[in-house]
Amino acid sequence: MVLRLVHQLEDAKEAVGLDAPETEAKYWKAAQSELGTAIGLIQQGFDFLLKAQICEVSPYLLISRNPADWPKKCDKEDIEFAEFRTIDSQDFVKVLDTVSPTRFDPEFVTLFDDLRKRRNRIMHTIDPAFEANVKDILTTLLLGVEYLIGPRQWVRLRKENLEREVDLGYDGDPVSFVQVHDFSTVVDLLDPAVLLRCFGFDRKRRRYHCPSCCHVDDNVEMDVMTALLQPNTPISPNVYCFICTQDQIVERIDCNSSGCMGNVYSPDWDMCLTCKQSRA
Ligand SMILES: [Zn+2]
Ligand SMILES: [Zn+2]
């Protein structure tokens, strides 16, 4: 959802040369309600994951209030769980930190708290000073997933999610196309530290075109520079891309295109991974 807004802005910039900072600021102002919805959905997702962790210990930990306030006759007949008042989102971390063998990292506690506050600010107040932005939203989502699901799971989860969506309206291989389009946008949007932590992608290193991602859709010219030498040595015979999670064998020979200083060549794709030209 939030990346679609970024793509839309990029398309507009390309199509009509819309690049004045005031116009971009106006665009993001108009997108606040969609960004607010995204923040709400992320919080809802984190809530579900935290509730699931509480239920692993005991679902009864979710029941709030004194027994005197529980639904009438709940001790005389079976009552639906949904009839009971449950604890608030703000107490989930406290409950888990009390009953689990390990406590949450303070970074997650702050992140979740900030997310709840941002969500409440959007839902319950009209605050002109508050402006949501895509980078913060994605960073919160990715770091939260690191804690609640596990390290570097997002590429896999996003792919599984896309596979569930039936009609994306793209030709060819829609799941891969959308995934490549989305993640190549993310690479330029997020802080290097977040990229390294959540995708293992080191933006400080020399980047090469990933031949597989560049050719994901025959109808669209893609410049996807997400391949890194693996291992990172001057004679490395391999590049790896975190988006398609593929390794590609490379030969270290100088490119014969004029002006290209590249020396990383993919024999399988007949492609210089610096300038994309074939050797033929
Ligand atoms: Zn790739
Ligand atoms: Zn080249």
Side-chain angles (χ1 to χ4, degrees):
M1 174 196 261
V2 294
L3 284 174
R4 188 171 47 74
L5 290 166
V6 178
H7 296 153
Q8 216 162 276
L9 179 64
E10 280 169 358
D11 292 347
K13 278 179 175 174
E14 218 168 276
V16 293
L18 184 157
D19 61 356
E22 321 80 73
T23 320
E24 193 166 326
K26 224 170 135 188
Y27 175 86
W28 286 119
K29 218 163 186 61
Q32 286 304 301
S33 117
E34 286 199 53
L35 294 177
T37 306
I39 289 173
L41 288 172
I42 292 170
Q43 202 231 327
Q44 211 174 47
F46 287 5
D47 277 355
F48 281 136
L49 290 165
L50 289 164
K51 270 187 191 175
Q53 288 188 19
I54 293 172
C55 285
E56 271 178 35
V57 181
S58 167
Y60 302 121
L61 286 168
L62 286 171
I63 294 175
S64 74
R65 299 195 168 184
N66 291 327
D69 300 319
W70 288 353
K72 285 194 181 84
K73 296 187 181 169
C74 65
D75 54 337
K76 303 278 187 284
E77 53 193 65
D78 291 345
I79 301 277
E80 289 290 330
F81 189 80
E83 297 290 317
F84 288 81
R85 274 288 292 267
T86 52
I87 57 173
D88 290 332
S89 166
Q90 63 183 9
D91 295 322
F92 292 165
V93 169
K94 185 178 180 182
V95 168
L96 281 165
D97 275 350
T98 308
V99 299
S100 304
T102 52
R103 297 194 170 91
F104 279 105
D105 188 293
E107 184 191 43
F108 175 76
V109 180
T110 308
L111 179 116
F112 184 60
D113 211 38
D114 286 348
L115 174 66
R116 272 192 327 94
K117 283 178 187 156
R118 267 188 284 165
R119 188 249 170 210
N120 289 343
R121 226 165 143 184
I122 292 164
M123 297 295 171
H124 306 306
T125 63
I126 299 167
D127 183 352
F130 177 76
E131 199 157 295
N133 73 74
V134 171
K135 185 181 161 186
D136 283 351
I137 293 173
L138 286 174
T139 303
T140 300
L141 173 66
L142 288 165
L143 295 183
V145 166
E146 292 283 302
Y147 284 109
L148 296 172
I149 297 177
R152 297 187 186 171
Q153 296 296 311
W154 186 247
V155 174
R156 177 185 64 78
L157 290 169
R158 177 76 181 128
K159 187 160 189 267
E160 283 174 10
N161 186 267
L162 284 172
E163 280 165 353
R164 276 197 290 270
E165 295 177 18
V166 184
D167 183 16
L168 285 162
Y170 291 102
D171 293 326
D173 181 349
V175 170
S176 303
F177 176 78
V178 176
Q179 185 155 358
V180 170
H181 197 202
D182 279 0
F183 283 108
S184 44
T185 303
V186 159
V187 162
D188 295 317
L189 198 70
L190 296 174
D191 286 336
V194 176
L195 284 172
L196 187 61
R197 180 167 164 187
C198 302
F199 300 117
F201 182 78
D202 188 348
R203 205 164 62 189
K204 292 187 191 112
R205 278 170 51 186
R206 189 181 291 273
R207 289 153 64 171
Y208 298 93
H209 287 96
C210 167
S212 165
C213 287
C214 286
H215 290 94
V216 79
D217 188 328
D218 293 338
N219 302 314
V220 185
E221 176 77 12
M222 304 276 277
D223 266 329
V224 190
M225 296 194 79
T226 45
L228 300 179
L229 289 169
Q230 187 107 319
N232 185 24
T233 63
I235 53 158
S236 185
N238 181 74
V239 291
Y240 175 78
C241 164
F242 79 91
I243 302 179
C244 59
T245 63
Q246 281 183 35
D247 285 290
Q248 303 284 345
I249 292 166
V250 290
E251 289 173 5
R252 308 307 299 269
I253 40 177
D254 291 339
C255 178
N256 55 11
S257 295
S258 66
C260 177
M261 304 294 282
N263 72 340
V264 177
Y265 170 76
S266 162
D268 293 340
W269 296 84
D270 181 25
M271 178 177 162
C272 163
L273 299 191
T274 301
C275 71
K276 281 173 77 181
Q277 293 302 309
S278 72
R279 286 188 73 79

